[in-house]
Amino acid sequence: MITLKRGHYLVLMCATIVFGLLSRKITGIPLSVGDGLYAVMIYWLCRFIFFQRSLNFCFVSSLVFCFAIEFLQLIQHPLLISVRSHPLLRLLFGQGFLWSDLIAYIAGSAIAFLLDRSFHRSKTR
């Protein structure tokens, strides 16, 4: 029986960050894998912050956040352009809008949600 506590989500988030950074360094791994891992990380962050809320709330929240970041890339305001020029902030906010990123975000959030739901189901058995 697995019981996830708030701290577990923080560990999952940090592990996902490591995997995401590695996915950008290893040649041959499609960029969409990193985008999917970004969505997984955001889902774990939502579960950490909104620990008492439902899994569905965190799933929708992570998608809304990821989609907002992606659509924000369509705005070319000087402040946003300067933010995106910083290497760390570029990882968080991206550089250019891609429809394929939205699909990767859906897949990543769904995978994290399904994993989380399976943890909770095994807990209730």
Side-chain angles (χ1 to χ4, degrees), residues 101-115:
D101 288 353
L102 300 177
I103 295 167
Y105 296 149
I106 292 168
S109 293
I111 288 168
F113 169 79
L114 292 171
L115 280 171

Side-chain angles (χ1 to χ4, degrees), residues 8 17 26 28 33 36 39 42 46 49-50 62 69-70 73 75 83-84 88-89 92 96 108 114-115 118-119:
H8 292 126
I17 290 170
I26 299 172
V33 170
I42 296 299
C46 286
I49 294 171
F50 305 113
S62 65
I69 292 295
E70 191 66 25
Q73 293 172 20
I75 300 170
V83 164
R84 292 181 197 126
L88 179 60
L89 296 176
L92 292 174
L114 292 171
L115 280 171
S118 71
F119 293 147

Side-chain angles (χ1 to χ4, degrees), residues 23-34:
S23 77
R24 298 292 187 197
K25 299 292 181 197
I26 299 172
T27 57
I29 295 180
L31 292 176
S32 60
V33 170

